[in-house]
Amino acid sequence: MEGAAVTTEDAARAEEVRAWLVQLRGGAPFLSAADGKLLVDWLDAKIPVPTILHGIELVAERRRAKRTRTPFSLQSCRATIEKLARAGGGWRTPADLVVALAPAEPDALVVEALVELAAITGDDPEARARYACAVLRRFHARVWDALGEERAALLAEAAEDLGTLEALLGHDGFERACEEHARDRVRARYPTLSATRVWEEFGLGMV
């Protein structure tokens, strides 16, 4: 995001979106120029960050179901996010949110995330939802980092599953597809700890 009109808050919101997209897809840790412009337009239109994150996650799920291998970008999420932005809703208390998101058998990393969620404060519903999504993004990053040798095994399994696409995608594209596939499988272990569930519980739309 460039230009004199960009505020610190704008930059913080943009960073949350960038980090969420990268957490889901892996690969290059930056947005393309086209994605950056689109994100500025969304933030200028006051689309809440949790709505954008929810839309990215929905598109990731569809990509998995359809085995879509075109680049995973904000542009590919545009129709979904702009449709979600027309929805509306309210706010759940931190205690309600923890109950809604907690899996049946939480491990140590899950418990750590739930403690952070329970401590959410403030009067702005969108800010509280953004904080909840940031907690979940950090949680999934810790899970990915903690995989150790299992990560290599997951990437190898992804390469086997997607092997027929290697000639089509090229080496770099195939590696990106394998990482996206592996990250998706790890996130699927924690279906309640997602931006989609936060968005559903908060019901955020245009402000």
Side-chain angles (χ1 to χ4, degrees):
M1 297 178 65
E2 300 178 354
V6 174
T7 66
T8 300
E9 181 64 13
D10 288 334
R13 290 169 185 258
E15 171 57 19
E16 290 174 40
V17 174
R18 181 208 65 80
W20 191 264
L21 177 64
V22 172
Q23 175 62 34
L24 267 65
R25 76 177 183 192
F30 52 81
L31 300 180
S32 68
D35 275 0
K37 173 62 168 61
L38 180 59
L39 180 53
V40 169
D41 291 343
W42 286 341
L43 297 180
D44 285 348
K46 305 301 182 185
I47 298 178
V49 167
T51 297
I52 299 173
L53 306 187
H54 170 42
I56 293 170
E57 203 165 64
L58 285 179
V59 171
E61 293 170 2
R62 293 171 191 159
R63 288 172 63 84
R64 177 185 68 235
K66 296 180 179 179
R67 291 202 165 200
T68 304
R69 294 305 156 212
T70 54
F72 189 7
S73 65
L74 294 184
Q75 292 286 340
S76 66
C77 303
R78 182 171 190 164
T80 297
I81 289 169
E82 293 180 358
K83 179 178 180 180
L84 290 172
R86 294 189 286 271
W91 159 251
R92 300 292 296 277
T93 69
D96 288 337
L97 185 63
V98 168
V99 170
L101 301 188
E105 298 181 359
D107 57 30
L109 289 177
V110 171
V111 170
E112 183 179 345
L114 295 177
V115 169
E116 287 189 76
L117 291 173
I120 295 174
T121 59
D123 297 325
D124 180 358
E126 186 196 343
R128 291 182 290 192
R130 284 173 55 196
Y131 183 86
C133 288
V135 168
L136 297 184
R137 174 175 53 78
R138 292 192 296 269
F139 162 75
H140 285 291
R142 288 194 293 267
V143 170
W144 179 255
D145 290 342
L147 289 174
E149 294 181 0
E150 185 187 1
R151 188 189 308 177
L154 287 167
L155 290 170
E157 289 175 12
E160 183 174 351
D161 290 343
L162 304 176
T164 57
L165 297 174
E166 186 169 9
L168 176 65
L169 298 176
H171 177 74
D172 291 345
F174 185 68
E175 285 197 341
R176 288 193 296 270
C178 289
E179 183 175 351
E180 182 185 335
H181 185 80
R183 285 176 176 269
D184 185 77
R185 289 191 61 184
V186 175
R187 287 196 312 277
R189 299 174 183 177
Y190 305 94
T192 62
L193 299 179
S194 67
T196 294
R197 286 299 302 274
V198 169
W199 190 88
E200 288 170 352
E201 294 300 320
F202 289 23
L204 284 169
M206 293 291 285
V207 294

